[in-house]
Amino acid sequence: MTVREALKIAINELKEANIGTYGNDAVILLKTILNKSDVFVLTNSDYKLNQEQEHYLFKLLEKRKKRYPIAYITHKKEFYGFEFFVDERVLIPRPETELLIEEAINIAKDNNIDTIVDIGTGSGCIAIVLSKLLNKRVFASDISREALTVARLNRDKHTAKVDFVLSNGLEWIGKRVDLIVSNPPYVSEKDYENLSDDVKYEPKGALIAEEDGLSFIKHLITHAQGLTRYLILEFGYDQSQFIKSQRNLLKISKDLSGIDRVAVFRFS
Ligand SMILES: C[S@@+](CC[C@H](N)C(=O)[O-])C[C@H]1O[C@@H](n2cnc3c(N)ncnc32)[C@H](O)[C@@H]1O
């Protein structure tokens, strides 16, 4: 089978399975199988797949048709211009979380920020990007041992100055820091049921929080006071009212869809 034939099969099968991104996905699957670039796939139509590669194509097509995330297939996700390794042990970094990075950089620039902590680090994307861009050591924690294994892999890949701690919430922080950032789990049980099938492959513990998705956010806001000068957190599409009712709120930023998404708190 040639690349041309393989692309045709992949596009047809993905289209039939109602995968909206069928064209893009077909190219990504092919380049993953061949371990080549997009340009190679698009310019070498007559290149022949060997038998092993053909089997691999059908295996990946079956997965993608069941909406298995493309990032878990390629094991790659770009976040703020950095490429991260991802698999089922961690949440796939989201573009809206880049807003949290921007707010953290703004606060760090103007406020003499030295010690930075990332709570619920997952793949390590926030901690690693902040450490690289601000040239600071960052401390990052997660309750999932498996997530921390992936985060360490990404830390080493980017030679970032990040130390990881296995812990629940803020309980490990012994002395006052300058900035705590977090993209916590904030989806309610009810909303989780209505999420797309792709998301259901991601760790449930990275997404769902009790009390209508607010339990972890409440923990962060309540306990951050006394532990940090600034707290920056991401929150859900319907949680803005709760965030606005909290003391010490400095600002809220909207994501590209115009939804309130990131809150900055300043504690005296
Ligand atoms: C929404 S994900 C964010 C992952 C990553 N920071 C990102 O932005 O892509 C939330 C992370 O918080 C972790 N988590 C959940 N409950 C936690 C807890 N009680 N204490 C610490 N981390 C927790 C999950 O394991 C998950 O990695």
Side-chain angles (χ1 to χ4, degrees):
M1 182 193 296
T2 62
V3 165
R4 183 185 294 104
E5 289 162 339
L7 273 176
K8 199 171 163 197
I9 290 171
I11 286 171
N12 283 342
E13 293 215 5
L14 294 172
K15 211 169 171 180
E16 226 161 83
N18 285 324
I19 307 289
T21 48
Y22 55 85
N24 220 7
D25 288 6
V27 174
I28 293 173
L29 293 187
L30 255 294
K31 77 173 189 178
T32 304
I33 288 157
L34 299 173
N35 198 18
K36 302 272 191 201
S37 67
D38 295 31
V39 177
F40 180 91
V41 171
L42 296 170
T43 56
N44 288 275
S45 308
D46 294 327
Y47 183 88
K48 275 206 174 346
L49 280 71
N50 62 33
Q51 213 172 23
E52 204 182 313
Q53 289 164 334
E54 279 184 27
H55 281 143
Y56 193 23
L57 171 67
F58 287 112
K59 194 174 144 200
L60 293 190
L61 271 176
E62 281 318 302
K63 278 191 161 186
R64 187 59 191 137
K65 278 157 64 181
K66 292 183 191 136
R67 309 209 167 244
Y68 191 73
I70 204 87
Y72 285 161
I73 291 176
T74 60
H75 293 304
K76 284 177 194 158
K77 184 69 188 178
E78 197 186 297
F79 178 75
Y80 218 86
F82 293 79
E83 190 181 276
F84 288 91
F85 172 89
V86 290
D87 64 18
E88 286 182 37
R89 292 173 288 183
V90 293
L91 187 95
I92 300 166
R94 304 290 201 270
E96 53 267 32
T97 306
E98 296 187 340
L99 183 59
L100 186 152
I101 298 284
E102 268 154 37
E103 292 302 334
I105 289 169
N106 286 339
I107 292 289
K109 263 198 302 202
D110 302 336
N111 297 285
N112 201 19
I113 297 292
D114 197 32
T115 37
I116 303 173
V117 164
D118 172 29
I119 304 289
T121 198
S123 62
C125 60
I126 296 174
I128 291 166
V129 168
L130 288 181
S131 166
K132 295 299 280 185
L133 297 183
L134 297 171
N135 194 23
K136 298 273 180 211
R137 182 164 294 282
V138 176
F139 296 89
S141 71
D142 206 288
I143 201 164
S144 158
R145 192 183 294 274
E146 290 196 314
L148 288 180
T149 305
V150 175
R152 284 195 184 92
L153 214 139
N154 281 317
R155 184 259 321 265
D156 296 345
K157 173 180 159 118
H158 292 293
T159 53
K161 290 183 283 183
V162 182
D163 292 315
F164 295 104
V165 182
L166 179 69
S167 183
N168 184 4
L170 295 170
E171 66 186 21
W172 60 279
I173 303 179
K175 65 175 188 180
R176 199 169 154 92
V177 301
D178 295 314
L179 170 63
I180 295 177
V181 293
S182 183
N183 173 19
Y186 57 69
V187 178
S188 67
E189 287 274 1
K190 195 170 128 253
D191 281 352
Y192 179 81
E193 296 312 318
N194 300 322
L195 292 177
S196 66
D197 291 345
D198 302 47
V199 182
K200 302 280 169 60
Y201 289 99
E202 297 185 82
K204 225 172 161 179
L207 292 159
I208 296 181
E210 288 170 6
E211 300 177 49
D212 283 337
L214 283 169
S215 61
F216 202 97
I217 287 178
K218 285 180 182 170
H219 165 78
L220 289 172
I221 297 174
T222 310
H223 297 283
Q225 181 149 29
L227 288 179
T228 182
R229 283 163 56 213
Y230 289 92
L231 166 69
I232 304 179
L233 55 86
E234 183 173 319
F235 57 89
Y237 72 97
D238 57 349
Q239 293 166 343
S240 182
Q241 211 179 341
F242 170 79
I243 296 288
K244 284 178 181 159
S245 73
Q246 299 302 298
R247 288 169 56 204
N248 302 306
L249 178 66
L250 185 64
K251 71 178 279 205
I252 287 182
S253 300
K254 291 183 191 300
D255 64 19
L256 291 173
S257 316
I259 297 169
D260 286 349
R261 186 60 70 184
V262 171
V264 181
F265 291 85
R266 181 173 59 199
F267 304 103
S268 42

